[in-house]
Amino acid sequence: MSEKTTISVIKADIGSLAGHHMVHPDTMAAAAKVLAEAKSKGILTDYYITHVGDDLELIMTHRKGVDASEVHETAWNAFKEAARVAKELGLYAAGQDLLTDAFSGNVRGLGPSAAEMEFVERPSEPVIVFMADKTEPGAFNLPLFRVFADPFNTAGLVIDPKIHDGFKFEVYDVIAGKYVVLNSPEEMYDLLALIGTPGRFVIRRIFRKSDNEIGAVVAVERLNLIAGQYVGKDDPVAIVRAQSGFPAVGEVIEAFAFPHLVAGWMRGSHFGPLMPVGQRNARCTRFDGPPRVVALGFQIKNGRLIGPADLFDDPAFDETRRLAQTVAEYMRRHGPFMPHRLGPEEMEYTTLPQVLQKLQDRFTEAKLYQVKGPKVKTELLE
Ligand code: F6R
Ligand code: MG
Ligand code: MG
């Protein structure tokens, strides 16, 4: 039993109402029963259950540390129960993210995604949980960079002595299965060189440089890579600590005032704007989107989750949402053309191999002009 508090946010798509639109309340109730029992047994200190689009989100606090098998097993059982109800109700894609029947100590690699961090609580501990639907973990790269490394977003980086030294970014290469830690501001350009490719290089954790205190964590599971074939977008979650020694809550959510383009949306195969919304609008509609993100603010006291505050449910984000609508409309007009549609290597659904195979006998050799040799000269290839 640790003196530290752990917050674990574990999510899965266990089936949803009206296609991939939203989680059904009965499945949330089924999950809540499992978590209530775990709380009564002392496995969890506290919990809060919610959904964003078709993803069931379990926000849990406990004293068992990161990757604790009892906590992961509790989450797994909650998803199983929720999926059982989803199947009874005939909900769409019931059980989608539960890739196996056998739990083996940790939900990672079995379908659900997890973001967890452990810390000694400060006298007052504000924490923000971000949950997104219809996008991928790298969607948090841009806003987290801005929160922890960009002084034009976070005034504290310039004027607060407690964060003036900057932060360290742990960046995962989710294709090669490696990670690297980069210091900001010194290595900011190297950091940007990597995280500007969000489908491959993903910010996983951020630490305060002066004392290594954890500031943020992102669930970096890529379900499509785990499953070996695409079985859904990896709708990510993130946890960020705020205030006194970290960016202020307002600085953290400021980074989401720009609805940047992220991969996901319809069929996990389109770029669209990430729209910050309140909990009541956490349901995907137009073209199964646009991709959405919710921010719930909590105070954590002796492991108790006080709150939440629904941080994007505010007119201050209306202009962001309006811009997101304009961008959504602009992107949609491209129909099946890139760059609205993702490149072939990133698409969830593709008919391209079948189309190419079908047409292979009808393709005729073409004469192409091509630059040859060191000199810039073209010649006709015959
Ligand atoms: C994207 C997503 C949806 C589905 C789409 C088709 O992550 O979940 O956009 O890809 O609704 O779903 P199926 O193939 O189940 O009919
Ligand atoms: Mg779904
Ligand atoms: Mg989803």
Side-chain angles (χ1 to χ4, degrees):
M1 199 70 91
S2 161
E3 277 173 36
K4 292 182 174 174
T5 297
T6 304
I7 173 167
S8 301
V9 182
I10 307 188
K11 52 110 343 207
D13 180 340
I14 48 80
S16 45
L17 172 65
H20 295 278
H21 172 63
M22 67 177 281
V23 170
H24 191 285
D26 290 2
T27 61
M28 287 174 45
K33 254 175 112 175
V34 176
L35 297 202
E37 203 184 311
K39 188 176 170 181
S40 73
K41 286 186 188 154
I43 298 170
L44 300 181
T45 310
D46 208 354
Y47 66 86
Y48 185 82
I49 296 185
T50 187
H51 79 93
V52 174
D54 59 6
D55 294 295
L56 177 57
E57 317 273 354
L58 311 178
I59 302 169
M60 301 171 286
T61 51
H62 53 92
R63 304 246 174 240
K64 299 185 183 296
V66 168
D67 280 330
S69 60
E70 280 171 290
V71 173
H72 280 236
E73 189 167 16
T74 298
W76 181 256
N77 291 339
F79 291 137
K80 280 280 183 201
E81 269 304 290
R84 186 183 59 72
V85 172
K87 278 176 194 150
E88 265 170 34
L89 297 177
L91 298 183
Y92 195 69
Q96 172 184 289
D97 284 359
L98 309 182
L99 302 179
T100 170
D101 283 333
F103 178 74
S104 54
N106 194 305
V107 296
R108 292 178 211 276
L110 304 184
S113 296
E116 301 181 278
M117 61 159 75
E118 188 188 32
F119 47 75
V120 176
E121 282 181 25
R122 296 169 289 168
S124 179
E125 185 63 64
V127 162
I128 306 173
V129 177
F130 290 97
M131 296 159 285
D133 189 28
K134 306 291 186 256
T135 185
E136 62 181 9
F140 286 122
N141 281 5
L142 187 152
L144 286 181
F145 171 83
R146 298 202 64 214
V147 172
F148 288 95
D150 180 1
F152 283 80
N153 181 89
T154 299
L157 292 169
V158 179
I159 64 177
D160 179 353
K162 293 196 287 300
I163 59 174
H164 190 72
D165 279 351
F167 291 89
K168 295 197 301 196
F169 288 74
E170 181 186 271
V171 177
Y172 266 56
D173 178 340
V174 295
I175 308 280
K178 294 179 182 171
Y179 71 92
V180 61
V181 179
L182 294 169
N183 291 315
S184 170
E186 309 88 293
E187 299 177 292
M188 182 188 282
Y189 298 159
D190 293 341
L191 175 63
L192 285 168
L194 297 184
I195 64 174
T197 306
R200 172 157 193 174
F201 297 102
V202 183
I203 297 172
R204 172 147 187 267
R205 290 189 295 176
I206 300 171
F207 301 92
R208 190 163 54 203
K209 221 193 295 161
S210 55
D211 58 2
N212 256 340
E213 193 63 25
I214 189 155
V217 62
V218 178
V220 301
E221 277 79 27
R222 290 202 63 189
L223 196 54
N224 51 339
L225 302 173
I226 292 167
Q229 61 171 62
Y230 207 106
V231 292
K233 260 293 165 203
D234 311 294
D235 310 322
V237 289
I239 308 169
V240 179
R241 294 170 81 192
Q243 306 291 153
S244 47
F246 290 110
V249 167
E251 290 169 332
V252 177
I253 57 177
E254 168 68 8
F256 292 83
F258 168 57
H260 67 299
L261 290 173
V262 297
W265 207 349
M266 172 58 75
R267 298 177 184 276
S269 305
H270 294 82
F271 282 111
L274 184 65
M275 182 166 76
V277 291
Q279 190 71 84
R280 65 201 154 100
N281 289 316
R283 319 173 266 114
C284 290
T285 55
R286 182 176 181 186
F287 200 53
D288 284 359
R292 283 160 209 240
V293 59
V294 165
L296 296 187
F298 293 92
Q299 295 290 144
I300 299 185
K301 188 66 186 171
N302 298 325
R304 273 179 66 204
L305 286 164
I306 313 299
D310 191 355
L311 293 166
F312 291 143
D313 185 17
D314 186 88
F317 283 91
D318 281 352
E319 288 309 315
T320 306
R321 292 187 272 266
R322 246 189 294 278
L323 177 56
Q325 300 316 312
T326 305
V327 172
E329 178 64 22
Y330 175 82
M331 295 301 282
R332 278 303 301 126
R333 295 284 70 84
H334 293 79
F337 283 79
M338 292 171 65
H340 180 29
R341 201 209 71 199
L342 302 189
E345 68 293 342
E346 277 282 315
M347 285 161 67
E348 172 176 348
Y349 296 68
T350 180
T351 49
L352 190 62
Q354 291 99 300
V355 172
L356 282 173
Q357 198 179 15
K358 190 178 73 184
L359 298 180
Q360 67 184 354
D361 295 339
R362 291 167 56 191
F363 271 104
T364 309
E365 290 302 319
K367 290 175 181 173
L368 284 176
Y369 288 95
Q370 177 178 308
V371 179
K372 277 200 136 189
K375 288 196 200 122
V376 181
K377 106 173 183 220
T378 61
E379 65 184 49
L380 188 59
L381 296 174
E382 299 251 31

